[in-house]
Amino acid sequence: MSTILAIETSCDETAVAILRGSELLASEVASQAEHEAYGGVVPEVASRNHLLHAPRLLDQALGKAGVALEEIDAFAATSGPGLASSLMIGASMAKGLALGADRPYLAINHLEGHLLSPFFDGNSEIEPNVSLIVSGGHTLLVEVRRVSGYRILGRTVDDAAGEAFDKVAKLLGLGYPGGPEIEKRAVAGNAARFDFPRSMLDSGDHNFSFSGLKTAVRYRLADFQNEQATPGLVSDMCASFQRAVIEVLVKKTLRAAKECGATLVTMSGGVSCNQALRKEMAERCRAAGTRLLTAPPRLCTDNAAMIAFAATLRFQAGFRSQVSEEIDPNLALV
Ligand code: KG4
Ligand code: ZN
C-alpha cells in the first residue's frame, strides 16, 4: 500500500494531503481571503501566500498523519494548468522533497485531480464515464475510458461557469467567491422572473459559453439603475442566472453521455458544490437511466486530497515523472 504526499498550489488555495491507500491521513487547505477585495485572484499575492503557507501546511499534514517524511513513497504536485507563479511553488517543494528523500516525483494535472475525485470514496475502480468538470477556471466535458485515457468532448469558448458566478456576483455587489453567495440568494428568488440566454444550448457540439449570460445580467441590472437594488431583485437575478447555467450544463452533459453511450456521468469542480445543480443533474440522470457520481462536497473546491488520489492511481499504474519536468500553465489533459 502506497503513502503519497501531494501539494496543490495551482491557483489561490494552498493545500497538502497525505493519502495511504484509500485512507486520507491528512488534508490541509489554506484559502486566501485577500483576493476578495480585488474581486478575483491576484497572481503575485497568491504566489507569495503559497510561499508563506505551504511549509506550515506540510508540517501540519505530517503531524496530523503521524507520518515521517521517510515513510512517504512518492511526492506529487499539481504541475498545471494554473497560474505559473503559483504552480511553481508547490511543484518545486514536491520535487525538493522527492530528491531529499530519494523517492519518485509525480506531476499531476489539476483537471485529472478534479475528474477522478468522484471516485475518491469508492473502491478506486475507475469506470468509463462522461465527466463534467465545472470550476472557476474550467468548464469541460471529457470522455473518460481509464486513468490517463481521456478525450475532450467540449469546453467553454469564453468564461468558465464558476467565473460567470464570480463575475455576476461582483455585478450584484456580492462577495467573492461568487458561487456560494449566488446559491444562497437564489434559494429565495424567482428563477422564472428573468429569461436569461441559454448560450450554445443547441450549438450541435459539446462546447459552452457563459460570457453572453454575464452581459445579459449586466444589461438587465441597468434597467433597474434608478431603483434601489432590493434584496428581492438580487435574489430573482441570482435564481434566474443560476437556472440558466444549470440548464445548459445538465442538458449538454446528458447529450454528451448519450452520444458516447456512457451509462455513468461524473461531476466535479467548485461549481459542483452547488446543491441546485446536483439536484437537477441527479433528476435528469435518473430520468435518462444514467448513473451519476459526484465529487464529495469537501473535494469539490481545490484541495490536495484529489491530487494525492490521482497520484496514487498513477503510481500504482507505474507512472513516474522526472524532477526536470517543468510546470505548464496550459497543461493539456492526456
Ligand atoms: O475548483 P475550484 O475551487 O477552483 C478552480 O479550479 O477553478 O472552483 C472555484 C469556483 C469559483 O468560481 C466559485 O465561485 C465556484 O467554484 N463555486 C460555486 C459554488 N461553490 C464554489 N459555484 C456555484 N455554486 C456553489 N455553491
Ligand atoms: Zn480546480
Side-chain angles (χ1 to χ4, degrees), residues 171-172 190 192-196 215-238 240:
L171 285 173
L172 295 172
N190 173 7
R193 177 163 172 197
F194 300 105
D195 187 20
F196 289 132
T215 309
V217 173
R218 175 180 293 137
Y219 284 141
R220 288 304 271 133
L221 199 57
D223 294 343
F224 295 89
Q225 65 184 1
N226 295 325
E227 293 173 33
Q228 194 74 22
T230 62
L233 173 65
V234 171
S235 298
D236 292 348
M237 286 255 172
C238 288
S240 304

PDB file of all heavy atoms in Angstrom, residues 171-172 190 192-196 215-238 240:
ATOM      1  N   LEU A 171     -21.109  41.933 -10.080  1.00  0.00           N
ATOM      2  CA  LEU A 171     -22.080  42.897 -10.627  1.00  0.00           C
ATOM      3  C   LEU A 171     -23.186  43.195  -9.622  1.00  0.00           C
ATOM      4  O   LEU A 171     -23.684  44.320  -9.531  1.00  0.00           O
ATOM      5  CB  LEU A 171     -22.745  42.323 -11.894  1.00  0.00           C
ATOM      6  CG  LEU A 171     -21.951  42.277 -13.188  1.00  0.00           C
ATOM      7  CD1 LEU A 171     -22.730  41.525 -14.263  1.00  0.00           C
ATOM      8  CD2 LEU A 171     -21.642  43.701 -13.655  1.00  0.00           C
ATOM      9  N   LEU A 172     -23.561  42.151  -8.868  1.00  0.00           N
ATOM     10  CA  LEU A 172     -24.668  42.303  -7.924  1.00  0.00           C
ATOM     11  C   LEU A 172     -24.197  42.790  -6.549  1.00  0.00           C
ATOM     12  O   LEU A 172     -24.991  42.861  -5.612  1.00  0.00           O
ATOM     13  CB  LEU A 172     -25.410  40.953  -7.778  1.00  0.00           C
ATOM     14  CG  LEU A 172     -26.118  40.441  -9.039  1.00  0.00           C
ATOM     15  CD1 LEU A 172     -26.640  39.023  -8.826  1.00  0.00           C
ATOM     16  CD2 LEU A 172     -27.268  41.368  -9.430  1.00  0.00           C
ATOM     17  N   ASN A 190     -37.018  34.115  -7.529  1.00  0.00           N
ATOM     18  CA  ASN A 190     -37.915  33.613  -8.558  1.00  0.00           C
ATOM     19  C   ASN A 190     -37.106  33.372  -9.839  1.00  0.00           C
ATOM     20  O   ASN A 190     -36.751  34.322 -10.549  1.00  0.00           O
ATOM     21  CB  ASN A 190     -39.027  34.650  -8.785  1.00  0.00           C
ATOM     22  CG  ASN A 190     -39.913  34.280  -9.959  1.00  0.00           C
ATOM     23  OD1 ASN A 190     -39.798  33.193 -10.531  1.00  0.00           O
ATOM     24  ND2 ASN A 190     -40.806  35.195 -10.331  1.00  0.00           N
ATOM     25  N   ALA A 192     -37.952  32.265 -12.604  1.00  0.00           N
ATOM     26  CA  ALA A 192     -38.665  32.496 -13.865  1.00  0.00           C
ATOM     27  C   ALA A 192     -38.784  33.989 -14.186  1.00  0.00           C
ATOM     28  O   ALA A 192     -39.288  34.365 -15.246  1.00  0.00           O
ATOM     29  CB  ALA A 192     -40.053  31.865 -13.789  1.00  0.00           C
ATOM     30  N   ARG A 193     -38.310  34.861 -13.262  1.00  0.00           N
ATOM     31  CA  ARG A 193     -38.519  36.300 -13.477  1.00  0.00           C
ATOM     32  C   ARG A 193     -37.726  36.835 -14.675  1.00  0.00           C
ATOM     33  O   ARG A 193     -38.237  37.630 -15.456  1.00  0.00           O
ATOM     34  CB  ARG A 193     -38.139  37.076 -12.210  1.00  0.00           C
ATOM     35  CG  ARG A 193     -38.276  38.572 -12.401  1.00  0.00           C
ATOM     36  CD  ARG A 193     -38.316  39.309 -11.106  1.00  0.00           C
ATOM     37  NE  ARG A 193     -38.272  40.747 -11.293  1.00  0.00           N
ATOM     38  CZ  ARG A 193     -37.966  41.613 -10.337  1.00  0.00           C
ATOM     39  NH1 ARG A 193     -37.693  41.186  -9.117  1.00  0.00           N
ATOM     40  NH2 ARG A 193     -37.940  42.900 -10.586  1.00  0.00           N
ATOM     41  N   PHE A 194     -36.481  36.414 -14.821  1.00  0.00           N
ATOM     42  CA  PHE A 194     -35.650  36.902 -15.928  1.00  0.00           C
ATOM     43  C   PHE A 194     -35.312  35.748 -16.864  1.00  0.00           C
ATOM     44  O   PHE A 194     -34.825  34.707 -16.431  1.00  0.00           O
ATOM     45  CB  PHE A 194     -34.362  37.536 -15.402  1.00  0.00           C
ATOM     46  CG  PHE A 194     -34.605  38.702 -14.491  1.00  0.00           C
ATOM     47  CD1 PHE A 194     -34.424  38.579 -13.115  1.00  0.00           C
ATOM     48  CD2 PHE A 194     -35.050  39.919 -14.993  1.00  0.00           C
ATOM     49  CE1 PHE A 194     -34.663  39.650 -12.268  1.00  0.00           C
ATOM     50  CE2 PHE A 194     -35.293  40.999 -14.156  1.00  0.00           C
ATOM     51  CZ  PHE A 194     -35.104  40.866 -12.784  1.00  0.00           C
ATOM     52  N   ASP A 195     -35.571  35.970 -18.144  1.00  0.00           N
ATOM     53  CA  ASP A 195     -35.336  34.919 -19.126  1.00  0.00           C
ATOM     54  C   ASP A 195     -33.946  35.095 -19.732  1.00  0.00           C
ATOM     55  O   ASP A 195     -33.791  35.612 -20.829  1.00  0.00           O
ATOM     56  CB  ASP A 195     -36.427  35.005 -20.207  1.00  0.00           C
ATOM     57  CG  ASP A 195     -36.342  33.824 -21.157  1.00  0.00           C
ATOM     58  OD1 ASP A 195     -35.739  32.802 -20.774  1.00  0.00           O
ATOM     59  OD2 ASP A 195     -36.868  33.931 -22.283  1.00  0.00           O
ATOM     60  N   PHE A 196     -32.925  34.675 -18.983  1.00  0.00           N
ATOM     61  CA  PHE A 196     -31.550  34.853 -19.454  1.00  0.00           C
ATOM     62  C   PHE A 196     -31.212  33.831 -20.532  1.00  0.00           C
ATOM     63  O   PHE A 196     -31.774  32.736 -20.557  1.00  0.00           O
ATOM     64  CB  PHE A 196     -30.581  34.738 -18.266  1.00  0.00           C
ATOM     65  CG  PHE A 196     -30.645  35.904 -17.316  1.00  0.00           C
ATOM     66  CD1 PHE A 196     -30.745  35.706 -15.941  1.00  0.00           C
ATOM     67  CD2 PHE A 196     -30.610  37.219 -17.797  1.00  0.00           C
ATOM     68  CE1 PHE A 196     -30.804  36.789 -15.071  1.00  0.00           C
ATOM     69  CE2 PHE A 196     -30.668  38.297 -16.930  1.00  0.00           C
ATOM     70  CZ  PHE A 196     -30.764  38.082 -15.567  1.00  0.00           C
ATOM     71  N   THR A 215     -23.186  39.207 -19.552  1.00  0.00           N
ATOM     72  CA  THR A 215     -23.523  40.504 -20.143  1.00  0.00           C
ATOM     73  C   THR A 215     -25.032  40.747 -20.062  1.00  0.00           C
ATOM     74  O   THR A 215     -25.473  41.879 -19.790  1.00  0.00           O
ATOM     75  CB  THR A 215     -23.052  40.562 -21.611  1.00  0.00           C
ATOM     76  OG1 THR A 215     -21.684  40.175 -21.640  1.00  0.00           O
ATOM     77  CG2 THR A 215     -23.202  41.947 -22.200  1.00  0.00           C
ATOM     78  N   ALA A 216     -25.814  39.700 -20.264  1.00  0.00           N
ATOM     79  CA  ALA A 216     -27.281  39.839 -20.181  1.00  0.00           C
ATOM     80  C   ALA A 216     -27.693  40.275 -18.776  1.00  0.00           C
ATOM     81  O   ALA A 216     -28.592  41.104 -18.607  1.00  0.00           O
ATOM     82  CB  ALA A 216     -27.951  38.514 -20.552  1.00  0.00           C
ATOM     83  N   VAL A 217     -27.018  39.717 -17.761  1.00  0.00           N
ATOM     84  CA  VAL A 217     -27.322  40.118 -16.373  1.00  0.00           C
ATOM     85  C   VAL A 217     -26.978  41.605 -16.204  1.00  0.00           C
ATOM     86  O   VAL A 217     -27.757  42.370 -15.623  1.00  0.00           O
ATOM     87  CB  VAL A 217     -26.537  39.258 -15.347  1.00  0.00           C
ATOM     88  CG1 VAL A 217     -26.725  39.795 -13.933  1.00  0.00           C
ATOM     89  CG2 VAL A 217     -26.979  37.794 -15.426  1.00  0.00           C
ATOM     90  N   ARG A 218     -25.838  42.017 -16.759  1.00  0.00           N
ATOM     91  CA  ARG A 218     -25.423  43.420 -16.632  1.00  0.00           C
ATOM     92  C   ARG A 218     -26.483  44.352 -17.240  1.00  0.00           C
ATOM     93  O   ARG A 218     -26.869  45.345 -16.637  1.00  0.00           O
ATOM     94  CB  ARG A 218     -24.073  43.644 -17.313  1.00  0.00           C
ATOM     95  CG  ARG A 218     -23.659  45.129 -17.300  1.00  0.00           C
ATOM     96  CD  ARG A 218     -22.332  45.378 -17.965  1.00  0.00           C
ATOM     97  NE  ARG A 218     -21.240  44.777 -17.230  1.00  0.00           N
ATOM     98  CZ  ARG A 218     -20.237  44.113 -17.779  1.00  0.00           C
ATOM     99  NH1 ARG A 218     -20.193  43.953 -19.087  1.00  0.00           N
ATOM    100  NH2 ARG A 218     -19.273  43.620 -17.049  1.00  0.00           N
ATOM    101  N   TYR A 219     -26.974  43.996 -18.440  1.00  0.00           N
ATOM    102  CA  TYR A 219     -27.980  44.842 -19.105  1.00  0.00           C
ATOM    103  C   TYR A 219     -29.295  44.878 -18.338  1.00  0.00           C
ATOM    104  O   TYR A 219     -29.912  45.925 -18.198  1.00  0.00           O
ATOM    105  CB  TYR A 219     -28.211  44.370 -20.550  1.00  0.00           C
ATOM    106  CG  TYR A 219     -27.092  44.773 -21.488  1.00  0.00           C
ATOM    107  CD1 TYR A 219     -26.635  43.910 -22.478  1.00  0.00           C
ATOM    108  CD2 TYR A 219     -26.480  46.033 -21.378  1.00  0.00           C
ATOM    109  CE1 TYR A 219     -25.601  44.281 -23.341  1.00  0.00           C
ATOM    110  CE2 TYR A 219     -25.443  46.401 -22.231  1.00  0.00           C
ATOM    111  CZ  TYR A 219     -25.008  45.531 -23.202  1.00  0.00           C
ATOM    112  OH  TYR A 219     -23.985  45.898 -24.039  1.00  0.00           O
ATOM    113  N   ARG A 220     -29.731  43.732 -17.842  1.00  0.00           N
ATOM    114  CA  ARG A 220     -30.998  43.689 -17.101  1.00  0.00           C
ATOM    115  C   ARG A 220     -30.876  44.495 -15.825  1.00  0.00           C
ATOM    116  O   ARG A 220     -31.815  45.190 -15.415  1.00  0.00           O
ATOM    117  CB  ARG A 220     -31.408  42.238 -16.769  1.00  0.00           C
ATOM    118  CG  ARG A 220     -31.868  41.445 -17.928  1.00  0.00           C
ATOM    119  CD  ARG A 220     -33.035  42.089 -18.679  1.00  0.00           C
ATOM    120  NE  ARG A 220     -34.339  41.706 -18.156  1.00  0.00           N
ATOM    121  CZ  ARG A 220     -35.329  42.551 -17.899  1.00  0.00           C
ATOM    122  NH1 ARG A 220     -35.160  43.835 -18.093  1.00  0.00           N
ATOM    123  NH2 ARG A 220     -36.481  42.115 -17.453  1.00  0.00           N
ATOM    124  N   LEU A 221     -29.697  44.438 -15.222  1.00  0.00           N
ATOM    125  CA  LEU A 221     -29.456  45.177 -13.984  1.00  0.00           C
ATOM    126  C   LEU A 221     -29.535  46.685 -14.246  1.00  0.00           C
ATOM    127  O   LEU A 221     -30.061  47.457 -13.439  1.00  0.00           O
ATOM    128  CB  LEU A 221     -28.075  44.787 -13.431  1.00  0.00           C
ATOM    129  CG  LEU A 221     -27.785  45.063 -11.964  1.00  0.00           C
ATOM    130  CD1 LEU A 221     -28.807  44.373 -11.059  1.00  0.00           C
ATOM    131  CD2 LEU A 221     -26.383  44.562 -11.607  1.00  0.00           C
ATOM    132  N   ALA A 222     -29.012  47.083 -15.418  1.00  0.00           N
ATOM    133  CA  ALA A 222     -29.017  48.502 -15.788  1.00  0.00           C
ATOM    134  C   ALA A 222     -30.443  49.029 -15.908  1.00  0.00           C
ATOM    135  O   ALA A 222     -30.694  50.223 -15.682  1.00  0.00           O
ATOM    136  CB  ALA A 222     -28.263  48.700 -17.103  1.00  0.00           C
ATOM    137  N   ASP A 223     -31.400  48.154 -16.264  1.00  0.00           N
ATOM    138  CA  ASP A 223     -32.809  48.564 -16.353  1.00  0.00           C
ATOM    139  C   ASP A 223     -33.328  49.060 -15.007  1.00  0.00           C
ATOM    140  O   ASP A 223     -34.325  49.763 -14.932  1.00  0.00           O
ATOM    141  CB  ASP A 223     -33.705  47.374 -16.783  1.00  0.00           C
ATOM    142  CG  ASP A 223     -33.388  46.932 -18.200  1.00  0.00           C
ATOM    143  OD1 ASP A 223     -32.755  47.713 -18.933  1.00  0.00           O
ATOM    144  OD2 ASP A 223     -33.764  45.803 -18.556  1.00  0.00           O
ATOM    145  N   PHE A 224     -32.651  48.632 -13.950  1.00  0.00           N
ATOM    146  CA  PHE A 224     -33.130  48.972 -12.604  1.00  0.00           C
ATOM    147  C   PHE A 224     -32.245  50.025 -11.931  1.00  0.00           C
ATOM    148  O   PHE A 224     -32.305  50.211 -10.731  1.00  0.00           O
ATOM    149  CB  PHE A 224     -33.152  47.708 -11.716  1.00  0.00           C
ATOM    150  CG  PHE A 224     -34.134  46.679 -12.172  1.00  0.00           C
ATOM    151  CD1 PHE A 224     -33.756  45.707 -13.092  1.00  0.00           C
ATOM    152  CD2 PHE A 224     -35.442  46.676 -11.706  1.00  0.00           C
ATOM    153  CE1 PHE A 224     -34.656  44.747 -13.534  1.00  0.00           C
ATOM    154  CE2 PHE A 224     -36.345  45.718 -12.137  1.00  0.00           C
ATOM    155  CZ  PHE A 224     -35.951  44.756 -13.057  1.00  0.00           C
ATOM    156  N   GLN A 225     -31.425  50.723 -12.749  1.00  0.00           N
ATOM    157  CA  GLN A 225     -30.412  51.589 -12.133  1.00  0.00           C
ATOM    158  C   GLN A 225     -30.992  52.751 -11.328  1.00  0.00           C
ATOM    159  O   GLN A 225     -30.317  53.258 -10.426  1.00  0.00           O
ATOM    160  CB  GLN A 225     -29.432  52.102 -13.182  1.00  0.00           C
ATOM    161  CG  GLN A 225     -30.043  53.004 -14.232  1.00  0.00           C
ATOM    162  CD  GLN A 225     -29.020  53.384 -15.299  1.00  0.00           C
ATOM    163  OE1 GLN A 225     -27.883  52.951 -15.243  1.00  0.00           O
ATOM    164  NE2 GLN A 225     -29.441  54.181 -16.257  1.00  0.00           N
ATOM    165  N   ASN A 226     -32.227  53.123 -11.657  1.00  0.00           N
ATOM    166  CA  ASN A 226     -32.814  54.222 -10.896  1.00  0.00           C
ATOM    167  C   ASN A 226     -33.540  53.751  -9.641  1.00  0.00           C
ATOM    168  O   ASN A 226     -34.053  54.536  -8.876  1.00  0.00           O
ATOM    169  CB  ASN A 226     -33.779  55.029 -11.774  1.00  0.00           C
ATOM    170  CG  ASN A 226     -33.015  55.710 -12.897  1.00  0.00           C
ATOM    171  OD1 ASN A 226     -31.873  56.136 -12.694  1.00  0.00           O
ATOM    172  ND2 ASN A 226     -33.617  55.784 -14.080  1.00  0.00           N
ATOM    173  N   GLU A 227     -33.592  52.431  -9.494  1.00  0.00           N
ATOM    174  CA  GLU A 227     -34.264  51.880  -8.315  1.00  0.00           C
ATOM    175  C   GLU A 227     -33.226  51.354  -7.339  1.00  0.00           C
ATOM    176  O   GLU A 227     -32.119  51.027  -7.712  1.00  0.00           O
ATOM    177  CB  GLU A 227     -35.170  50.700  -8.709  1.00  0.00           C
ATOM    178  CG  GLU A 227     -36.346  51.097  -9.556  1.00  0.00           C
ATOM    179  CD  GLU A 227     -37.090  49.851 -10.047  1.00  0.00           C
ATOM    180  OE1 GLU A 227     -37.125  48.856  -9.310  1.00  0.00           O
ATOM    181  OE2 GLU A 227     -37.605  49.906 -11.169  1.00  0.00           O
ATOM    182  N   GLN A 228     -33.622  51.253  -6.113  1.00  0.00           N
ATOM    183  CA  GLN A 228     -32.782  50.613  -5.114  1.00  0.00           C
ATOM    184  C   GLN A 228     -32.687  49.125  -5.476  1.00  0.00           C
ATOM    185  O   GLN A 228     -33.700  48.522  -5.851  1.00  0.00           O
ATOM    186  CB  GLN A 228     -33.489  50.768  -3.750  1.00  0.00           C
ATOM    187  CG  GLN A 228     -32.636  50.459  -2.559  1.00  0.00           C
ATOM    188  CD  GLN A 228     -31.626  51.580  -2.299  1.00  0.00           C
ATOM    189  OE1 GLN A 228     -31.815  52.717  -2.719  1.00  0.00           O
ATOM    190  NE2 GLN A 228     -30.550  51.238  -1.627  1.00  0.00           N
ATOM    191  N   ALA A 229     -31.489  48.552  -5.451  1.00  0.00           N
ATOM    192  CA  ALA A 229     -31.375  47.115  -5.713  1.00  0.00           C
ATOM    193  C   ALA A 229     -31.915  46.378  -4.489  1.00  0.00           C
ATOM    194  O   ALA A 229     -31.208  46.141  -3.524  1.00  0.00           O
ATOM    195  CB  ALA A 229     -29.926  46.738  -5.982  1.00  0.00           C
ATOM    196  N   THR A 230     -33.198  46.068  -4.523  1.00  0.00           N
ATOM    197  CA  THR A 230     -33.836  45.426  -3.364  1.00  0.00           C
ATOM    198  C   THR A 230     -33.336  43.986  -3.234  1.00  0.00           C
ATOM    199  O   THR A 230     -32.911  43.377  -4.226  1.00  0.00           O
ATOM    200  CB  THR A 230     -35.365  45.373  -3.548  1.00  0.00           C
ATOM    201  OG1 THR A 230     -35.630  44.582  -4.709  1.00  0.00           O
ATOM    202  CG2 THR A 230     -35.957  46.765  -3.706  1.00  0.00           C
ATOM    203  N   PRO A 231     -33.402  43.436  -2.024  1.00  0.00           N
ATOM    204  CA  PRO A 231     -32.992  42.030  -1.861  1.00  0.00           C
ATOM    205  C   PRO A 231     -33.789  41.117  -2.787  1.00  0.00           C
ATOM    206  O   PRO A 231     -33.270  40.127  -3.306  1.00  0.00           O
ATOM    207  CB  PRO A 231     -33.319  41.733  -0.399  1.00  0.00           C
ATOM    208  CG  PRO A 231     -33.323  43.069   0.272  1.00  0.00           C
ATOM    209  CD  PRO A 231     -33.786  44.056  -0.763  1.00  0.00           C
ATOM    210  N   GLY A 232     -35.058  41.470  -3.042  1.00  0.00           N
ATOM    211  CA  GLY A 232     -35.901  40.647  -3.923  1.00  0.00           C
ATOM    212  C   GLY A 232     -35.345  40.627  -5.331  1.00  0.00           C
ATOM    213  O   GLY A 232     -35.278  39.571  -5.969  1.00  0.00           O
ATOM    214  N   LEU A 233     -34.933  41.785  -5.825  1.00  0.00           N
ATOM    215  CA  LEU A 233     -34.371  41.879  -7.175  1.00  0.00           C
ATOM    216  C   LEU A 233     -33.097  41.037  -7.276  1.00  0.00           C
ATOM    217  O   LEU A 233     -32.906  40.274  -8.224  1.00  0.00           O
ATOM    218  CB  LEU A 233     -34.073  43.347  -7.517  1.00  0.00           C
ATOM    219  CG  LEU A 233     -33.327  43.589  -8.820  1.00  0.00           C
ATOM    220  CD1 LEU A 233     -34.161  43.163 -10.024  1.00  0.00           C
ATOM    221  CD2 LEU A 233     -32.915  45.053  -8.962  1.00  0.00           C
ATOM    222  N   VAL A 234     -32.228  41.188  -6.280  1.00  0.00           N
ATOM    223  CA  VAL A 234     -30.966  40.444  -6.294  1.00  0.00           C
ATOM    224  C   VAL A 234     -31.241  38.934  -6.252  1.00  0.00           C
ATOM    225  O   VAL A 234     -30.651  38.162  -7.011  1.00  0.00           O
ATOM    226  CB  VAL A 234     -30.056  40.886  -5.114  1.00  0.00           C
ATOM    227  CG1 VAL A 234     -28.840  39.976  -4.987  1.00  0.00           C
ATOM    228  CG2 VAL A 234     -29.606  42.332  -5.314  1.00  0.00           C
ATOM    229  N   SER A 235     -32.158  38.511  -5.397  1.00  0.00           N
ATOM    230  CA  SER A 235     -32.483  37.075  -5.307  1.00  0.00           C
ATOM    231  C   SER A 235     -33.040  36.546  -6.624  1.00  0.00           C
ATOM    232  O   SER A 235     -32.684  35.449  -7.068  1.00  0.00           O
ATOM    233  CB  SER A 235     -33.523  36.814  -4.213  1.00  0.00           C
ATOM    234  OG  SER A 235     -33.010  37.200  -2.982  1.00  0.00           O
ATOM    235  N   ASP A 236     -33.928  37.327  -7.253  1.00  0.00           N
ATOM    236  CA  ASP A 236     -34.515  36.884  -8.526  1.00  0.00           C
ATOM    237  C   ASP A 236     -33.457  36.800  -9.622  1.00  0.00           C
ATOM    238  O   ASP A 236     -33.463  35.881 -10.446  1.00  0.00           O
ATOM    239  CB  ASP A 236     -35.641  37.841  -8.958  1.00  0.00           C
ATOM    240  CG  ASP A 236     -36.849  37.759  -8.030  1.00  0.00           C
ATOM    241  OD1 ASP A 236     -36.897  36.818  -7.211  1.00  0.00           O
ATOM    242  OD2 ASP A 236     -37.735  38.635  -8.114  1.00  0.00           O
ATOM    243  N   MET A 237     -32.538  37.774  -9.632  1.00  0.00           N
ATOM    244  CA  MET A 237     -31.441  37.747 -10.608  1.00  0.00           C
ATOM    245  C   MET A 237     -30.588  36.507 -10.380  1.00  0.00           C
ATOM    246  O   MET A 237     -30.212  35.813 -11.337  1.00  0.00           O
ATOM    247  CB  MET A 237     -30.544  38.990 -10.439  1.00  0.00           C
ATOM    248  CG  MET A 237     -31.149  40.264 -10.952  1.00  0.00           C
ATOM    249  SD  MET A 237     -30.359  40.722 -12.510  1.00  0.00           S
ATOM    250  CE  MET A 237     -31.375  42.083 -13.013  1.00  0.00           C
ATOM    251  N   CYS A 238     -30.247  36.254  -9.117  1.00  0.00           N
ATOM    252  CA  CYS A 238     -29.407  35.091  -8.783  1.00  0.00           C
ATOM    253  C   CYS A 238     -30.090  33.798  -9.209  1.00  0.00           C
ATOM    254  O   CYS A 238     -29.475  32.926  -9.828  1.00  0.00           O
ATOM    255  CB  CYS A 238     -29.134  35.032  -7.275  1.00  0.00           C
ATOM    256  SG  CYS A 238     -27.990  36.292  -6.711  1.00  0.00           S
ATOM    257  N   SER A 240     -32.524  33.344 -11.434  1.00  0.00           N
ATOM    258  CA  SER A 240     -32.688  33.240 -12.889  1.00  0.00           C
ATOM    259  C   SER A 240     -31.360  32.924 -13.568  1.00  0.00           C
ATOM    260  O   SER A 240     -31.298  32.112 -14.494  1.00  0.00           O
ATOM    261  CB  SER A 240     -33.256  34.552 -13.453  1.00  0.00           C
ATOM    262  OG  SER A 240     -34.476  34.874 -12.818  1.00  0.00           O
TER     263      SER A 240
END
